[in-house]
């Protein structure tokens, strides 16, 4: 039996729940309070959700104060949506995009002397004043200035004030998933010391931001908190959830924003002792109805789900049989009698479908790894 939808509907797509995203922004805004702005992190194609679509949904929310990307190219893409908020590239390593970014009004992090000089040189060449956030290395040991660089920073910004404006000072915490976060407290002290000494040189700025939502109790001295994982409806850890609930003084619920769907492409009935897929890693024990799905690891479905993952069809689980291949995946629909060609299949979504947390546990990774793998070329639908 066939379903006409296989010929006139999308084959594989991502759905983004606008109500869920707004609920999460409302929740995070409530937790932070009116004195702290929300900066929405939309790097890595908005954690796999779809950068343009997430910006489109969230830009009109009154609590959305900033957008943060990783690259300059992403920041330019956000600017091109026409959003009203400032946009900052946190890791502007793609310096070939610097001229276009500055012309578009993109802000960027400034983390060492080389990039500071490159930003000023480009701003001078195109007649612009670059807006930057000075990044401080407080203990992650990646990017950023240290206390030893205070005098150089002060001198540089004062000498080049016509071409570079200090908009913010920022850093990034190394560990906020544990119940106790003593290292984060040490980073807070280092960051505050840097900011204090920089102010003593006569420099001033608008935004101070060290924390993501996972360490919001440490954000009392800041003007802004960057929110990523929680924005999309996931907790980094039970400890993070507990910290936010303590601050809010009530139970909190986040709503996953993304669902990932496909359709049954083909049905096949095989007898017992039939090998399924590459390497014959699964052999049927009984007569089995197989559903072939037009999706594989090239679309972002982890190969680690081979023989242990599942999808849902009509809210019923269908185990993955054999290897997840590049462009196809086979599932068992023997116990789903109303499964037909064209039936909707949920790869990832709210329970009873597998969640990003479920898939991450099966694959030995984290939920944002699962989400950010989803191919950007797949169509995105905004639903309410």
């Amino acid at each position: 039996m066939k379903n006409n939808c296989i010929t006139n509907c999308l084959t594989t797509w991502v759905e983004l729940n606008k109500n869920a995203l707004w609920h999460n922004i409302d929740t995070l805004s409530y937790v932070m309070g009116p004195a702290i702005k929300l900066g929405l992190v939309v790097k890595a194609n908005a954690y796999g959700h779809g950068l343009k679509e997430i910006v489109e949904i969230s830009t009109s929310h009154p609590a959305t104060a900033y957008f943060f990307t990783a690259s300059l190219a992403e920041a330019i893409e956000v600017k091109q949506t026409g959003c009203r908020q400032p946009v900052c590239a946190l890791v502007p390593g793609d310096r070939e995009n610097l001229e276009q970014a500055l012309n578009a009004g993109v802000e960027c992090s400034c983390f060492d002397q080389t990039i500071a000089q490159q930003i000023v040189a480009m701003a001078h060449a195109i007649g612009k004043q670059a807006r930057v956030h000075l990044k401080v290395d407080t203990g992650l040991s990646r990017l950023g200035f240290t206390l030893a660089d205070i005098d150089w920073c002060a001198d540089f910004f004062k000498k080049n004030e016509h071409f570079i404006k200090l908009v913010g000072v920022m850093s990034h915490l190394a560990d906020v998933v544990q119940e106790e976060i003593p290292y984060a407290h040490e980073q807070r002290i280092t960051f505050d010391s840097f900011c204090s000494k920089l102010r003593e040189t006569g420099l001033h700025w608008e935004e101070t931001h060290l924390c993501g939502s996972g360490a919001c109790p440490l954000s009392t001295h800041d003007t802004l908190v960057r929110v990523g994982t929680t924005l999309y409806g996931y907790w980094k850890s039970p400890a993070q959830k507990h910290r936010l609930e303590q601050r809010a003084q009530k139970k909190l619920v986040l709503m996953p924003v993304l669902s990932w769907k496909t359709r049954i492409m083909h049905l096949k009935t095989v007898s017992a002792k039939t090998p399924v897929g590459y390497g014959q890693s699964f052999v049927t024990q009984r007569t089995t109805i197989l559903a072939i799905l037009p999706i594989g690891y090239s679309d972002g479905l982890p190969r680690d789900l081979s023989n242990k993952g599942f999808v849902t069809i009509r809210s019923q689980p269908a185990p993955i049989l054999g290897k997840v291949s590049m462009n196809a995946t086979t599932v068992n629909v023997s116990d789903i009698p109303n499964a037909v060609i064209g039936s909707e299949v949920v790869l990832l979504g709210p329970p009873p479908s597998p969640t990003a947390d479920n898939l991450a546990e099966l694959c030995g990774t984290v939920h944002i790894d699962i989400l950010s793998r989803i191919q950007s070329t797949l169509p995105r639908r905004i639903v309410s």
Side-chain angles (χ1 to χ4, degrees), residues 45-352:
N45 197 32
Y47 290 44
H49 289 62
L51 186 147
K52 290 181 179 179
E53 291 80 6
I54 291 297
V55 172
E56 177 186 337
I57 296 170
S58 59
T59 187
S60 58
H61 194 292
T64 302
Y66 248 91
F67 287 109
F68 288 95
T69 67
S71 68
L72 293 167
E74 289 174 323
I76 293 166
E77 192 174 351
V78 175
K79 275 291 188 181
Q80 289 171 343
T81 67
C83 70
R84 59 182 174 81
Q85 293 86 354
V87 183
C88 177
L90 295 170
V91 191
D94 53 330
R95 299 178 197 184
E96 67 275 14
N97 293 314
L98 184 57
E99 179 178 358
Q100 185 182 357
L102 294 185
N103 276 321
V106 167
E107 300 174 4
C108 61
S109 74
C110 178
F111 51 80
D112 66 18
Q113 295 183 18
T114 300
I115 193 170
Q117 291 161 348
Q118 289 175 336
I119 290 170
V120 165
M122 181 59 72
H124 184 274
I126 63 176
K128 295 281 187 179
Q129 185 188 48
R131 294 170 58 86
V132 304
H133 296 242
L134 192 68
K135 190 161 192 175
V136 186
D137 182 3
T138 55
L140 190 58
S141 300
R142 292 197 313 202
L143 305 174
F145 291 96
T146 66
L147 287 167
D149 300 310
I150 291 280
D151 291 339
W152 186 92
C153 290
D155 183 61
F156 182 81
F157 278 94
K158 290 173 183 177
K159 282 183 177 178
N160 297 284
E161 61 182 4
H162 296 298
F163 302 108
I164 190 166
K165 177 177 175 59
L166 182 61
V167 177
V169 179
M170 61 172 291
S171 189
H172 193 46
L173 296 173
D175 182 12
V176 296
V177 300
Q178 308 302 325
E179 191 68 42
E180 301 295 330
I181 49 173
Y183 194 64
H185 285 275
E186 292 178 22
Q187 288 186 264
R188 173 85 260 178
I189 293 169
T190 301
F191 184 65
D192 288 345
S193 177
F194 186 100
C195 291
S196 177
K197 292 181 184 299
L198 195 62
R199 286 192 186 96
E200 289 173 3
T201 69
L203 288 182
H204 302 281
W205 56 93
E206 302 163 21
E207 308 296 350
T208 304
H209 48 114
L210 168 68
C211 301
S213 56
C216 66
L218 298 179
S219 64
T220 51
H221 298 165
D222 297 340
T223 63
L224 183 148
V225 166
R226 303 182 302 270
V227 294
T229 309
T230 47
L231 174 66
Y232 303 103
Y234 288 91
W235 302 106
K236 282 193 172 182
S237 68
Q240 181 210 28
K241 182 176 187 287
H242 179 64
R243 276 194 291 274
L244 266 69
E245 288 181 335
Q246 280 188 315
R247 181 178 176 117
Q249 296 187 325
K250 70 173 187 177
K251 293 290 183 182
L252 299 175
V253 175
L254 296 177
M255 297 174 62
V257 173
L258 180 148
S259 295
W260 187 11
K261 299 180 178 181
T262 189
R263 297 187 186 279
I264 294 176
M265 177 173 64
H266 180 64
L267 290 168
K268 179 187 292 287
T269 301
V270 299
S271 59
K273 300 183 180 179
T274 299
V276 177
Y278 289 120
Q280 301 83 48
S281 64
F282 183 87
V283 178
T284 59
Q285 301 300 306
R286 61 182 175 111
T287 298
T288 305
I289 304 173
L290 306 177
I292 316 304
L293 312 180
I295 189 164
Y297 58 78
S298 68
D299 303 292
L301 191 68
R303 198 164 183 265
D304 289 335
L305 295 176
S306 301
N307 288 311
K308 58 184 177 182
F310 73 99
V311 301
T312 54
I313 300 168
R314 303 189 188 279
S315 299
Q316 299 179 66
I320 293 174
L321 303 185
K323 300 285 188 183
V324 173
S325 56
M326 185 178 289
N327 304 107
T329 299
T330 303
V331 299
N332 185 350
V333 295
S334 302
D335 299 323
I336 309 176
N338 51 357
V340 298
I341 292 175
S343 288
E344 184 176 283
V345 179
V346 183
L347 305 163
L348 189 160

